[in-house]
Amino acid sequence: MGIAKIKGISTTKSFARSCKELKKKGVKEDGLYYLSTANGVLYQTFCDMTTAGGGWTLVASVHENNIYGKCTIGDRWSSQHGNSAYMPEGDRSWSNRVIFGTVEAATSDDYKNPGYYDLKAQDVSVWHVHNDAEVEHWKMASILRYHTQTNFLHLYGGNLYYLFKQHPVKYLAGDCNKDRGPSVPIVYDLGNEETTTNLYGPYSKAQIVPGFVTFRVFNNEKSAMAMCSGVKPTGCDTEAYCIGGGGYFAESSYQCGDFTAFAWNGYGTHAQWSVARELIESAVLIFYR
Amino acid sequence: MGIAKIKGISTTKSFARSCKELKKKGVKEDGLYYLSTANGVLYQTFCDMTTAGGGWTLVASVHENNIYGKCTIGDRWSSQHGNSAYMPEGDRSWSNRVIFGTVEAATSDDYKNPGYYDLKAQDVSVWHVHNDAEVEHWKMASILRYHTQTNFLHLYGGNLYYLFKQHPVKYLAGDCNKDRGPSVPIVYDLGNEETTTNLYGPYSKAQIVPGFVTFRVFNNEKSAMAMCSGVKPTGCDTEAYCIGGGGYFAESSYQCGDFTAFAWNGYGTHAQWSVARELIESAVLIFYR
Amino acid sequence: MGIAKIKGISTTKSFARSCKELKKKGVKEDGLYYLSTANGVLYQTFCDMTTAGGGWTLVASVHENNIYGKCTIGDRWSSQHGNSAYMPEGDRSWSNRVIFGTVEAATSDDYKNPGYYDLKAQDVSVWHVHNDAEVEHWKMASILRYHTQTNFLHLYGGNLYYLFKQHPVKYLAGDCNKDRGPSVPIVYDLGNEETTTNLYGPYSKAQIVPGFVTFRVFNNEKSAMAMCSGVKPTGCDTEAYCIGGGGYFAESSYQCGDFTAFAWNGYGTHAQWSVARELIESAVLIFYR
């Protein structure tokens, strides 16, 4: 068993750093490609080469593996250490360089690749894709797809890693109404403002404005969440419509987890604060361009 | 999305998709090789090029890291979320595309590579290899090795990923006697029917027929297990001789874990329902061809 | 550190097995490089090409993700299974081939690459680097750096994997005073004997001699620890100044974890047995040459 075994892996070309770069080189087909970070770290991810001009790099997915767990194993976008005030930032995945998961399992498990912190991007695209959909069928298995086009990331260091360093997803780091991060208008690629609103619980309607994606918000108890997909909050029960978060939710440990309190009034009941079953059972894929 | 996709990373040559393909190309030596999935995902695994004509691709290993844990961290082939009726399928590793582990640690930790869901195969080969044996010594450190030769996988989608989609490893998805998955006759490469029977507990002898490998069975309480290595169950205390499983064992949380109830009457005592110590302390390596 | 760095992967030649080998080939720049194990397993890690002649390969980092956890998830250098006498060796990472983490996240999470068990080395180098420092800034973000120059690893199989097979990190495997592993004199690259002593708690001063790195020690209760960084113990309260360990600490579960009892008298208080905050909040990077 020797070195000869790996002779197959070889090229003299350097790699693209993003799908946008590949697009500029003329690559037109959606699919899996190898990219390289500024440090020369090689990784493989999915490129969306068709939406709104293409060139979108998949950098992460947020997947709820067990809504009954309360910041337990698999809650990598909140905390795997239980609901604990000792860990106000939880696992800190939004603002560190830890990576996890694989692109082919991005709808079955949390996923984060080096592009999340390496790319210099302007906009994000978000797909909600049904759990366990295979990469060949992601587009078909989507229930909501949208992107921004304001170049907002340019103001926050060029990616979410730097955005969340500026706006920590940390318990007690701010107040609900005073300290929200950016709310960015979105363009729908699948769905619209009405279908977006209908994915969340009926009680949430009075607190959300569809047509935006919002980053880093606090709820009534000053617990932090990372992302409100498709909406701008106007209220403070953000655990009902925002995902990810720090490691402590003061009102109830039941709010601690990647999908926070999406099942607050029962799993997939779509009653009161509970979101629609199709939303709980879809992974949130995050792209940069 | 095909081999072309990884041209970025390599090479004028494309990679083989299986050890069987490498064997056809004339590769004869056991060892670690790079393979590529249909989507161009590159991975490295062990090829057995000598058993029964060779061309066997290692795709997974089931390793018990803590028999005292009850569906706790490291129980990736059952559940890492505790014994819970809320998770009737547990971590779902048998039927999703999540991968874990590395080939060089396949006897020290659970292992699953993309070949598990990507290959189109006909038969399986199984090695029970003592924990922590180094890859160079796996064959020597085996206590049982066998393979099928009936092309049975052809009837189940070509691999275990599709077989378990047809036969979910899910609590309450079937009854012990009515709903067993395939029992396939095996050919021994190391050991025989007597040594197989002697690995399991004395109470199990009345419930197993050696000389087969069986997939997806239920016990008396309708809890699901994935694989009965070397045997065909005729009874319903399957937690004593079948491994892996869903996330809920109704009789006792002590049955929940990658190696189920193998220590039911003490660790390695080989008394009543307890298996032999050498079986608990060996990883189950699964190959396709 | 740019694309050029991965030209290593772009060749039909075989890969270097260590940074020392790259150094001999004339590579002079610190950075990330691809290496290959004897089995042809390819991985990427950081090479220190400047300290004391360079050629140092990063093989591991020990990072405390939650000092309040007691052998919980993320305690890969002790145990993730809770404080348990059933697991006297814990997760066994010091003496098995399981790998985890990535080089770019080595200051944000535990890290272990195949070099840890594959390299044949003579000496170790250790850096204490502030958590979350980016690889470009590791040297600047260090609070302590030192290396050995006695070729001691030659006597222990050439790396820590073999050293810890000879000296198991296992509860009850030895006595505090009789069974310590090697204490090796160090040369400081940043800091000195006084700064080393001052990183540990004031009560520890009477039990440590700075200017050494020590491997595999036992405390009063025969609980095992893997490494005492910068010091040689003369006492038996080793949980206050040695890290890593087996899976059981008989005096208190509070001692179980990657950084053992470093917060015994409060987090970062530097009072009594508690270490300085900067030590708790730095990852311990381990290099071979």
Side-chain angles (χ1 to χ4, degrees):
Chain A
M1 299 184 293
I3 295 296
K5 294 293 166 49
I6 56 168
K7 279 205 181 145
I9 189 167
S10 64
T11 171
T12 52
K13 308 182 203 75
S14 65
F15 295 87
R17 193 161 161 196
S18 70
C19 299
K20 186 181 175 184
E21 197 178 312
L22 284 174
K23 182 78 181 184
K24 284 183 187 146
K25 291 180 180 177
V27 178
K28 289 180 170 50
E29 194 187 352
D30 292 353
L32 305 186
Y33 295 87
Y34 275 94
L35 301 175
S36 168
T37 70
N39 285 347
V41 171
L42 209 57
Y43 66 100
Q44 187 169 37
T45 192
F46 177 81
C47 292
D48 168 10
M49 295 309 213
T50 49
T51 300
W56 297 97
T57 306
L58 177 67
V59 299
S61 78
V62 183
H63 170 267
E64 181 53 73
N65 67 328
N66 174 15
I67 195 74
Y68 301 99
K70 292 128 179 47
C71 283
T72 49
I73 188 166
D75 285 326
R76 300 203 66 151
W77 293 107
S78 47
S79 176
Q80 303 185 105
H81 296 273
N83 191 47
S84 167
Y86 286 127
M87 298 193 81
E89 296 185 88
D91 277 17
R92 310 187 47 263
S93 299
W94 296 99
S95 57
N96 68 23
R97 291 187 169 199
V98 176
I99 60 171
F100 39 84
T102 61
V103 61
E104 286 197 301
T107 58
S108 301
D109 200 4
D110 289 334
Y111 175 54
K112 182 184 173 193
N113 66 39
Y116 178 85
Y117 58 77
D118 180 69
L119 294 197
K120 295 295 179 189
Q122 289 77 46
D123 287 295
V124 301
S125 172
V126 176
W127 296 10
H128 291 253
V129 183
H130 199 282
N131 286 345
D132 299 330
E134 299 178 350
V135 62
E136 303 86 334
H137 311 127
W138 283 351
K139 256 183 190 171
M140 278 183 297
S142 294
I143 62 172
L144 177 66
R145 296 196 291 115
Y146 61 82
H147 66 278
T148 70
Q149 56 181 14
T150 65
N151 299 344
F152 80 102
L153 282 175
H154 176 70
L155 305 172
Y156 297 94
N159 59 47
L160 295 179
Y161 170 75
Y162 291 112
L163 184 151
F164 286 113
K165 284 193 176 296
Q166 293 175 31
H167 297 280
V169 183
K170 183 175 183 176
Y171 173 60
L172 293 183
D175 286 341
C176 168
N177 291 309
K178 298 208 313 290
D179 301 302
R180 287 194 192 107
S183 281
V184 187
I186 60 176
V187 176
Y188 285 96
D189 299 303
L190 175 68
N192 54 45
E193 298 193 356
E194 183 181 4
T195 59
T196 301
T197 305
N198 289 336
L199 290 171
Y200 295 103
Y203 284 10
S204 296
K205 287 187 185 179
Q207 296 195 12
I208 56 178
V209 177
F212 298 84
V213 58
T214 304
F215 298 98
R216 211 291 300 267
V217 300
F218 297 95
N219 67 7
N220 284 307
E221 298 78 25
K222 304 190 180 190
S223 299
M225 278 138 274
M227 181 180 176
C228 314
S229 184
V231 301
K232 178 203 295 192
T234 59
C236 294
D237 298 305
T238 53
E239 66 276 2
Y241 39 84
C242 304
I243 64 176
Y248 188 58
F249 284 73
E251 182 180 5
S252 163
S253 66
Y254 193 71
Q255 299 175 357
C256 203
D258 284 355
F259 277 6
T260 45
F262 279 19
W264 187 253
N265 298 107
Y267 179 89
T269 59
H270 206 196
Q272 301 176 56
W273 295 108
S274 285
V275 306
R277 185 182 187 116
E278 62 195 303
L279 188 64
I280 278 196
E281 297 182 350
S282 296
V284 181
L285 275 55
I286 302 172
F287 299 76
Y288 290 160
R289 180 175 73 182
Chain B
M1 297 184 295
I3 294 297
K5 287 296 165 45
I6 58 166
K7 286 231 173 107
I9 193 177
S10 74
T11 166
T12 52
K13 312 164 207 105
S14 64
F15 292 86
R17 195 164 160 194
S18 70
C19 300
K20 186 179 174 185
E21 197 179 313
L22 284 174
K23 181 78 181 184
K24 284 184 187 145
K25 291 180 178 177
V27 177
K28 290 181 169 52
E29 195 188 352
D30 291 352
L32 305 187
Y33 295 87
Y34 276 95
L35 301 176
S36 169
T37 70
N39 286 346
V41 170
L42 209 56
Y43 67 100
Q44 187 168 38
T45 193
F46 176 81
C47 293
D48 168 12
M49 296 309 212
T50 49
T51 300
W56 297 98
T57 307
L58 176 67
V59 298
S61 77
V62 183
H63 170 267
E64 181 54 72
N65 66 329
N66 173 15
I67 195 74
Y68 302 101
K70 292 128 179 48
C71 283
T72 49
I73 189 166
D75 285 327
R76 302 204 64 151
W77 294 106
S78 48
S79 176
Q80 302 185 105
H81 296 275
N83 192 46
S84 167
Y86 285 127
M87 298 193 79
E89 296 185 89
D91 278 16
R92 311 186 48 261
S93 299
W94 296 99
S95 57
N96 69 21
R97 290 187 169 199
V98 176
I99 61 171
F100 39 82
T102 61
V103 61
E104 286 197 300
T107 58
S108 300
D109 199 4
D110 289 335
Y111 176 53
K112 183 185 172 193
N113 67 39
Y116 178 85
Y117 57 78
D118 179 70
L119 294 197
K120 294 295 179 190
Q122 288 76 47
D123 287 294
V124 301
S125 171
V126 176
W127 296 10
H128 291 254
V129 183
H130 200 280
N131 285 346
D132 299 328
E134 299 179 350
V135 62
E136 303 86 335
H137 310 128
W138 283 352
K139 253 181 193 173
M140 277 184 299
S142 294
I143 61 171
L144 176 66
R145 296 196 291 114
Y146 61 81
H147 67 277
T148 69
Q149 56 180 17
T150 65
N151 299 343
F152 80 102
L153 282 176
H154 177 70
L155 305 172
Y156 296 94
N159 59 48
L160 294 179
Y161 170 75
Y162 291 112
L163 183 151
F164 287 114
K165 285 194 174 295
Q166 292 175 31
H167 297 281
V169 183
K170 183 176 184 176
Y171 173 59
L172 293 184
D175 287 340
C176 168
N177 291 308
K178 296 208 314 291
D179 302 301
R180 287 192 192 110
S183 281
V184 187
I186 59 176
V187 176
Y188 285 97
D189 299 303
L190 175 69
N192 54 45
E193 299 193 356
E194 183 180 4
T195 61
T196 301
T197 304
N198 289 337
L199 289 172
Y200 295 103
Y203 285 9
S204 296
K205 288 188 183 178
Q207 296 195 13
I208 55 178
V209 178
F212 297 84
V213 58
T214 304
F215 298 98
R216 213 290 302 267
V217 300
F218 297 95
N219 67 6
N220 284 308
E221 298 78 27
K222 304 191 182 193
S223 300
M225 278 136 273
M227 181 180 174
C228 313
S229 184
V231 300
K232 178 202 295 189
T234 59
C236 294
D237 298 303
T238 54
E239 65 275 3
Y241 40 85
C242 305
I243 63 176
Y248 188 57
F249 284 73
E251 183 180 4
S252 163
S253 66
Y254 193 71
Q255 299 175 357
C256 203
D258 284 355
F259 277 6
T260 46
F262 278 19
W264 187 254
N265 298 107
Y267 179 90
T269 58
H270 207 197
Q272 300 176 57
W273 295 108
S274 285
V275 306
R277 186 181 186 116
E278 62 195 302
L279 187 63
I280 277 195
E281 296 182 352
S282 297
V284 181
L285 275 56
I286 303 172
F287 299 76
Y288 289 161
R289 180 175 74 181
Chain C
M1 299 185 292
I3 294 295
K5 286 296 167 43
I6 59 163
K7 288 254 172 85
I9 199 177
S10 60
T11 167
T12 52
K13 307 187 202 79
S14 63
F15 293 85
R17 194 162 161 193
S18 69
C19 299
K20 185 179 174 185
E21 197 178 312
L22 284 174
K23 182 77 180 185
K24 285 184 188 146
K25 291 179 179 178
V27 178
K28 290 180 169 50
E29 197 188 350
D30 291 352
L32 305 187
Y33 295 87
Y34 275 95
L35 301 175
S36 170
T37 70
N39 286 346
V41 170
L42 207 59
Y43 66 100
Q44 186 168 38
T45 192
F46 176 81
C47 293
D48 169 10
M49 296 310 212
T50 50
T51 300
W56 297 98
T57 306
L58 176 67
V59 298
S61 78
V62 183
H63 170 267
E64 181 53 73
N65 65 331
N66 173 16
I67 194 76
Y68 302 100
K70 291 128 179 49
C71 283
T72 50
I73 188 166
D75 285 325
R76 302 202 65 151
W77 293 108
S78 48
S79 176
Q80 302 184 105
H81 296 273
N83 192 46
S84 167
Y86 285 128
M87 298 192 80
E89 295 185 88
D91 278 17
R92 311 186 49 262
S93 299
W94 295 99
S95 57
N96 68 23
R97 292 187 168 198
V98 176
I99 61 172
F100 39 83
T102 61
V103 61
E104 287 197 301
T107 58
S108 301
D109 199 5
D110 290 334
Y111 176 53
K112 182 185 173 193
N113 67 37
Y116 179 85
Y117 57 77
D118 179 68
L119 293 198
K120 295 296 180 189
Q122 289 76 48
D123 286 295
V124 301
S125 171
V126 176
W127 296 10
H128 290 253
V129 183
H130 199 281
N131 286 347
D132 299 329
E134 299 178 350
V135 60
E136 303 86 334
H137 310 127
W138 283 352
K139 255 183 192 171
M140 278 184 298
S142 294
I143 61 171
L144 176 65
R145 296 195 292 114
Y146 60 82
H147 66 278
T148 70
Q149 55 182 16
T150 65
N151 298 344
F152 80 102
L153 282 175
H154 176 70
L155 305 173
Y156 297 93
N159 59 48
L160 295 179
Y161 170 74
Y162 291 112
L163 183 151
F164 286 114
K165 284 193 176 295
Q166 293 175 31
H167 297 280
V169 183
K170 183 175 183 176
Y171 174 59
L172 294 184
D175 287 341
C176 169
N177 291 309
K178 297 208 313 291
D179 302 301
R180 287 193 192 109
S183 281
V184 187
I186 59 176
V187 176
Y188 285 97
D189 300 302
L190 175 69
N192 54 45
E193 298 194 356
E194 183 181 3
T195 61
T196 301
T197 304
N198 288 336
L199 290 172
Y200 294 103
Y203 284 9
S204 296
K205 288 187 184 179
Q207 296 194 12
I208 56 178
V209 178
F212 297 84
V213 58
T214 305
F215 298 97
R216 212 290 301 268
V217 300
F218 297 94
N219 68 5
N220 285 307
E221 299 77 26
K222 304 190 181 188
S223 299
M225 277 137 275
M227 180 179 174
C228 313
S229 184
V231 300
K232 178 203 296 190
T234 58
C236 294
D237 297 304
T238 55
E239 65 277 3
Y241 39 84
C242 304
I243 63 176
Y248 187 59
F249 284 73
E251 182 180 5
S252 163
S253 66
Y254 193 72
Q255 299 176 357
C256 203
D258 284 355
F259 277 7
T260 44
F262 279 19
W264 187 254
N265 297 107
Y267 179 90
T269 58
H270 206 194
Q272 301 176 52
W273 296 107
S274 285
V275 306
R277 185 181 187 114
E278 62 196 300
L279 188 63
I280 276 195
E281 296 182 349
S282 295
V284 181
L285 276 54
I286 303 172
F287 299 76
Y288 290 160
R289 179 174 73 181

